[in-house]
Amino acid sequence: MGEPKKMILGIDTSNYTTSAALCTVDGEIVTNVKRPLPVKHGERGLRQSEALFHHTVQLPQVLDAVHAALEGGSLVAVGYSKTPRDAENSYMPCFLAGQAAAYAAACGAGVPLYAFSHQGGHVMAALYGAKRMELIGQPFAAFHVSGGTTEILLVRPDADKIFTVEKIGGTLDLHAGQVIDRVGVQMGLPFPAGPAMERAAAAFWDETKPCRPSVRGLYCNLSGLENQAVDLFSREQSIEKCAAFVLLSLLEVLQVLTRNLRAAYPHLPIVYAGGVMSCGYIRTVLSSYGSFAEPAFSADNGAGAALLARYKHEREVQIWT
């Protein structure tokens, strides 16, 4: 029998999804297990205490599925999302569930444990899903657009952290995913509302005019879009038309931000990440500007934490030897 395959475990417990993934020491994701957190119909999300509870319930199921994928392999490292961002004082209680599970896994296997930010994991997973891993060794720009984040990031190589993430733009009020979820729930769609809203909008892409984008430089405001969408739905009672209006308006904002980013940083490659970037229509239009990951690696997932841990462990092994 050959030597057991060496694997790295990644765990992420965001405010939306319980997730864990395995990658090989060669950097191949072999499993990426995700369980959305349950949200009652009509509600627009979870309190942190509720999210923490649901992660505690769901982590054993997720880790059971990941363990089955080990298939006799052995863990050599564990990575997890400790904070939302790399910024000082960045903290959310929901990540404590993943931290506890990661500590238990690393201690049980007797392997190193590495902590990263949820946002850093998003960027790494997007690079993997977009087949742009060569960007790790050079500066690039990234959009992180989700229910909890709408930011433009400057990403630079870093000897210790693999890369550093600096916010250089984004929203000044609501996040893009918040607009989608708030309007979607008001129309009776389930939370998170993105997938249902995209399906509803399909017949109206060419028949709907977006709102005028509120953008200045690399920053935008999105609260006006929510107000206009709610007013449109109250007048016309058309889920399909309102859904197209919201998504097309967000696309317009993202296009203007991208053009402004290109003007400010003309030579930087651009990568798009986050759940909102899973929208097929948005991906199709913006793909001429930059790289997209497939949806499994764009929305919340543990793959980014596993890949970051893999790079971190590889560098430490080389230093030790």
Side-chain angles (χ1 to χ4, degrees):
M1 295 180 64
E3 186 177 338
K5 186 176 289 188
K6 297 178 180 179
M7 304 277 198
I8 297 92
L9 171 66
I11 297 174
D12 183 89
T13 50
S14 72
N15 210 38
Y16 296 90
T17 307
T18 309
S19 56
L22 284 174
C23 76
T24 66
V25 291
D26 297 322
E28 177 191 358
I29 297 295
V30 296
T31 188
N32 185 21
V33 182
K34 300 189 282 185
R35 297 285 187 274
L37 300 185
V39 178
K40 293 179 182 178
H41 186 75
E43 295 188 358
R44 302 188 301 189
L46 296 168
R47 294 188 295 271
Q48 281 293 297
S49 58
E50 295 173 320
L52 186 57
F53 169 78
H54 289 305
H55 282 310
T56 303
V57 172
Q58 294 187 166
L59 267 167
Q61 305 161 21
V62 169
L63 293 174
D64 271 347
V66 169
H67 185 264
L70 266 174
E71 296 181 350
S74 62
L75 287 182
V76 297
V78 177
Y80 72 100
S81 299
K82 183 178 182 179
T83 60
R85 300 173 181 81
D86 286 325
E88 187 177 354
N89 298 322
S90 180
Y91 169 75
M92 287 177 71
C94 59
F95 292 108
L96 292 173
Q99 176 175 292
Y103 265 83
C107 289
V111 299
L113 178 68
Y114 305 109
F116 306 98
S117 71
H118 172 74
Q119 189 166 72
H122 256 300
V123 173
M124 178 61 91
L127 291 178
Y128 178 86
K131 297 179 173 58
R132 296 301 308 273
M133 296 295 277
E134 78 279 1
L135 295 180
I136 291 175
Q138 66 183 78
F140 64 94
F143 279 78
H144 181 191
V145 186
S146 66
T149 306
T150 298
E151 296 182 351
I152 304 173
L153 310 169
L154 179 59
V155 186
R156 298 186 181 97
D158 185 84
D160 180 54
K161 297 180 180 180
I162 313 305
F163 49 68
T164 59
V165 179
E166 176 189 354
K167 178 183 174 182
I168 56 173
T171 181
L172 295 172
D173 44 31
L174 294 180
H175 300 301
Q178 280 183 298
V179 176
I180 292 171
D181 291 332
R182 288 184 179 193
V183 176
V185 169
Q186 182 146 341
M187 295 191 299
L189 301 178
F191 179 96
M197 190 172 281
E198 183 178 1
R199 290 192 297 270
F204 281 82
W205 293 130
D206 299 323
E207 301 180 23
T208 305
K209 184 179 179 180
C211 72
R212 181 178 178 180
S214 177
V215 177
R216 180 176 295 180
L218 297 181
Y219 286 89
C220 65
N221 291 89
L222 297 176
S223 57
L225 168 57
E226 181 192 11
N227 296 334
Q228 292 182 56
V230 170
D231 181 63
L232 174 64
F233 182 69
S234 66
R235 285 186 284 107
E236 304 204 14
Q237 294 296 302
S238 171
I239 292 177
E240 294 80 8
K241 195 168 189 177
C242 187
F245 174 76
V246 169
L247 293 178
L248 287 171
S249 297
L250 288 174
L251 171 60
E252 185 71 16
V253 169
L254 291 169
Q255 283 184 290
V256 175
L257 287 172
T258 297
R259 288 194 290 266
N260 293 349
L261 177 63
R262 280 272 191 238
Y265 300 88
H267 303 299
L268 287 186
I270 299 175
V271 176
Y272 295 96
V276 174
M277 295 305 189
S278 298
C279 174
Y281 192 84
I282 291 177
R283 289 159 56 90
T284 299
V285 176
L286 290 181
S287 60
S288 61
Y289 295 102
S291 302
F292 280 81
E294 58 186 275
F297 296 107
S298 189
D300 291 356
N301 63 83
L307 290 164
L308 284 168
R310 177 254 173 185
Y311 273 85
K312 178 78 171 175
H313 185 63
E314 181 181 54
R315 289 184 181 184
E316 290 197 354
V317 169
Q318 289 177 348
I319 291 172
W320 295 334
T321 56

